[in-house]
Amino acid sequence: MKILVVGGAGYIGAHVVKALLNAGISVRVYDDLSTGQKINLFPQIEFVENTILNEKALEEALTDVDGVIHLAAKKAVGESMTLPEIYATNNITGTLNLLNAMAKKNVKNIVFSSSAAVYGTPQYTKVDEAHPVNPINFYGFTKLEIERFLEWYDRLKDIKFIALRYFNAVGYDETGTVQGLEKNPQNLLPIIMETIVGIREKMLIFGTDYDTPDGTCIRDYIHVSDLATAHVSALNYLLKEHKSQVLNLGTETGHSVLEMVKRTEALIKPFPHENAPRRPGDPAQLTAVAHKAHTLLGWTPTHSALDNIILSTWALYQKHFPQNR
Ligand code: UDP
């Protein structure tokens, strides 16, 4: 079996490729290396360096593949609100190119990286897949629109899909096989790590007056190796059941920002942080119900314990910044 992993040189993509190779599946990676990195390309894979805006190149790359895992997207929430054109083109047009190329080449299976950002501000917690979708940022809107295109391509072109709605992806491969550190990280844990290694002067805690036990926001942090195995299971499900699904991927457990800060300080070392105003668009609490993924895929997270998330991230930062050992 051969799978085309679009965006396979990126942070989540590289972990997915590793999981596919571990499962004995051949991989062709398609990536424009805009945020993906060469260091994330495993020697066993075929690599096509091109953009998803090139439909002809996509068609060619789809030759002799049994399915697609599509992770290529712009994903900075804040940037999506100031540069929506880039998100519309890369995420929506790029995915339509891929779907059109798949239709042409008769490739009928796709696993798509969606996001909990499709839900917007939760109306209840924990959030299941039946929760209304109402994105409050343009990034989430692009993911939701793509899910809707997938539904139509299923009906009209018989392309079956699994949309995986990731909660907060964190951590790095514990075996050290994935070596690329994400460039320009915008998320909590990498920002904490950058503060510890001295790239940043201090870390800001965005909002301490939320309606949560310690006043800071609560999120569902899922280890990227757990996300990765879910893609392999999703692919197997598609090939066996030929049925489209939308699935949450989270741990069903929440951690507050303050908890993340305090646990990291306890495990590694104290670092400068300050309370700051709320960041616009942040819901107080976002945690998943992931029952559907458990039942349909037989998937459960095994890497997502808080200490493992923190220490696996720290291990790679130490490799890249050895003076902090
Ligand atoms: N956060 C923070 N300081 C930072 C970055 C993030 O306090 O420098 C908080 C953010 O407000 C949110 C949580 O950490 O409550 C997770 O944010 P992140 O950007 O990692 O993911 P999001 O949940 O926005 O997708």
Side-chain angles (χ1 to χ4, degrees):
M1 174 156 65
K2 183 175 281 185
I3 299 299
L4 184 70
V5 183
V6 184
Y11 165 55
I12 299 176
H15 287 84
V16 168
V17 170
K18 187 195 163 189
L20 290 167
L21 294 173
N22 280 350
I25 297 168
S26 302
V27 174
R28 182 178 294 147
V29 166
Y30 188 101
D31 201 300
D32 66 0
L33 299 180
S34 57
T35 52
Q37 305 180 51
K38 275 208 170 118
I39 194 176
N40 280 339
L41 297 171
F42 294 93
Q44 306 93 308
I45 59 136
E46 290 173 37
F47 176 52
V48 179
E49 184 175 349
N50 217 315
T51 161
I52 49 174
L53 300 180
N54 185 342
E55 196 179 325
K56 277 272 161 270
L58 281 168
E59 275 175 35
E60 205 169 300
L62 284 163
T63 306
D64 297 329
V65 307
D66 302 286
V68 173
I69 298 181
H70 174 34
L71 312 104
K74 301 290 284 178
K75 61 157 197 167
V77 168
E79 185 188 56
S80 78
M81 299 297 275
T82 52
L83 300 170
E85 303 89 338
I86 294 179
Y87 283 71
T89 306
N90 273 272
N91 295 7
I92 297 180
T93 310
T95 303
L96 288 177
N97 288 341
L98 177 60
L99 287 174
N100 290 339
M102 286 175 68
K104 211 164 188 175
K105 298 286 281 194
N106 224 20
V107 177
K108 298 291 190 188
N109 304 294
I110 180 166
V111 178
F112 170 63
S113 298
S114 190
S115 166
V118 299
Y119 295 116
T121 307
Q123 294 177 11
Y124 56 85
T125 58
K126 305 167 176 179
V127 172
D128 56 15
E129 292 86 351
H131 185 286
V133 282
N134 186 18
I136 54 167
N137 54 63
F138 193 74
Y139 163 74
F141 169 78
T142 65
K143 292 289 173 180
L144 183 58
E145 287 306 289
I146 294 165
E147 286 191 6
R148 290 179 170 148
F149 279 116
L150 288 169
E151 280 161 21
W152 279 103
Y153 275 70
D154 177 352
R155 281 161 69 178
L156 304 176
K157 302 301 281 184
D158 199 35
I159 293 174
K160 300 298 171 196
F161 71 89
I162 296 195
L164 297 173
R165 292 178 176 167
Y166 307 156
F167 281 65
N168 289 58
V170 284
Y172 279 93
D173 168 46
E174 297 100 338
T175 66
T177 335
V178 177
Q179 294 180 49
L181 258 195
E182 219 185 345
K183 291 185 219 159
N184 303 320
Q186 305 289 323
N187 299 107
L188 175 64
L189 199 51
I191 286 173
I192 289 177
M193 296 295 157
E194 289 195 347
T195 312
I196 295 178
V197 300
I199 297 176
R200 291 170 188 261
E201 249 174 52
K202 60 185 173 201
M203 175 260 164
L204 300 176
I205 297 177
F206 296 142
T208 51
D209 58 350
Y210 284 99
D211 185 16
T212 58
D214 66 20
T216 66
C217 288
I218 293 175
R219 294 287 178 277
D220 186 329
Y221 295 94
I222 174 96
H223 195 288
V224 67
S225 298
D226 285 330
L227 288 182
T229 54
H231 290 73
V232 181
S233 306
L235 205 58
N236 288 331
Y237 176 93
L238 276 181
L239 294 170
K240 196 161 154 238
E241 307 288 341
H242 306 289
K243 206 171 159 225
S244 297
Q245 297 286 354
V246 175
L247 302 175
N248 280 350
L249 291 182
T251 64
E252 305 193 325
T253 307
H255 297 292
S256 74
V257 176
L258 201 56
E259 206 182 338
M260 298 292 280
V261 167
K262 288 202 166 141
R263 193 64 197 147
T264 307
E265 290 195 312
L267 287 171
I268 305 170
K269 62 176 167 186
F271 59 89
H273 52 80
E274 241 170 49
N275 294 344
R278 292 182 177 198
R279 189 175 67 175
D282 270 344
Q285 188 156 349
L286 189 61
T287 45
V289 172
H291 181 70
K292 221 173 144 188
H294 298 169
T295 312
L296 294 181
L297 304 184
W299 170 84
T300 37
T302 56
H303 299 264
S304 296
L306 184 55
D307 286 9
N308 191 50
I309 280 168
I310 295 169
L311 291 172
S312 66
T313 309
W314 177 233
L316 195 61
Y317 271 84
Q318 273 183 305
K319 264 194 203 161
H320 284 254
F321 301 94
Q323 68 277 18
N324 285 280
R325 252 174 232 275

